Amino acid sequence: MASLAAAVLPSSRSVQVGTTATAFTTVINPGTATANGVGISLNTGIPANFSYQTTDPVTNLVVGTPNTPVNIPPGQRQTFVIALTPAGPVAPTDVAFAFGGGNAPVISGVDTLLFSASATAVPDIVALAATANNDGIVNIPGANGNGVFAVATVNVGTSATITASADTGTAQLPVILFLCQTNPATSQCVNPPSPTTNPVTATINGGGTATFGIFGAGTGTIPFAPATNRIFVRFRDAGGVVHGATSVAVRTQ
């Protein structure tokens, strides 16, 4: 079985029951043999109908036939759009996928989708992170250096007061995180960066956007382990329910 690598963007969707949520997936075959019959299926049990279809990687337009596996030549990639239509409420769940014709390790925040569904309309914060080298990695120069990245969001759901926070997930990393909302035109903080023990609150209207800066102050050495050493940015409603998330890898250089 071929060894594959995969990524899902955006990293989260939050919709009303019966509404279809979509995301894009890229599957890479880094091996020397063709990965035959690569399809995608749900690997987490949730009450939702699932489908996938290949896309043109340049335009993101769908091509091919829905739910039809494809072959991926060695050293090549294939892009897909995936769709989840919930049949009932789903609490925020880190949904994993299985890739037929190969084996891709499950990496939370990379090839999973934080998914939730509610009986009523909800905010749906689509968040994308940008690092200095556009490679999804925050580099902290030295054990006591500082790193930074930006997050842009759009609310494709209902208007809501949203609290943004940053954390390192289950990993205990030697880094202190700060966060601020930024002016999208200048990228400057509109208020002083706050420690993530004091999350930033912003009203994001339906169809509206908001941008944020996240700063990491190193307090030790962080090895390069992108599957585990990551910074997550999460967006919660007034009830504490996560309606958006994104993440980047972090390391000391």
Side-chain angles (χ1 to χ4, degrees):
M1 181 175 288
S3 178
L4 303 175
V8 175
L9 281 178
S11 298
S12 69
R13 292 299 310 271
S14 184
V15 296
Q16 187 173 1
V17 172
T19 301
T20 298
T22 59
F24 293 98
T25 302
T26 299
V27 180
I28 302 172
N29 176 13
T32 57
T34 297
N36 294 308
V38 177
I40 308 174
S41 60
L42 276 179
N43 206 22
T44 301
I46 57 173
N49 296 318
F50 175 78
S51 65
Y52 70 92
Q53 189 168 349
T54 55
T55 63
D56 183 321
V58 176
T59 64
N60 282 334
L61 295 176
V62 293
V63 296
T65 305
N67 302 317
T68 302
V70 295
N71 299 334
I72 304 179
Q76 300 297 310
R77 62 177 175 142
Q78 178 61 60
T79 55
F80 301 84
V81 62
I82 56 176
L84 284 164
T85 306
V90 179
T93 302
D94 203 25
V95 176
F97 304 93
F99 300 89
N103 180 33
V106 176
I107 303 175
S108 180
V110 177
D111 59 7
T112 61
L113 180 71
L114 182 63
F115 179 76
S116 65
S118 174
T120 58
V122 290
D124 184 8
I125 308 299
V126 175
L128 295 176
T131 58
N133 295 322
N134 291 318
D135 55 5
I137 304 169
V138 172
N139 296 307
I140 297 178
N144 300 111
N146 298 302
V148 62
F149 67 100
V151 171
T153 68
V154 58
N155 183 2
V156 296
T158 58
S159 302
T161 298
I162 297 295
T163 297
S165 63
D167 61 78
T168 57
T170 58
Q172 299 296 316
L173 301 180
V175 61
I176 301 172
L177 299 176
F178 299 83
L179 182 146
C180 72
Q181 187 174 358
T182 57
N183 182 322
T186 65
S187 298
Q188 299 297 309
C189 289
V190 297
N191 45 27
S194 298
T196 51
T197 52
N198 300 310
V200 172
T201 299
T203 297
I204 309 179
N205 294 323
T209 61
T211 55
F212 301 85
I214 298 86
F215 307 85
T219 60
T221 300
I222 303 173
F224 187 52
T228 56
N229 294 349
R230 305 187 66 80
I231 298 173
F232 296 85
V233 182
R234 309 181 200 271
F235 300 90
R236 294 176 169 87
D237 66 12
V241 178
V242 177
H243 288 289
T246 188
S247 71
V248 298
V250 60
R251 66 181 173 186
T252 300
Q253 278 195 321

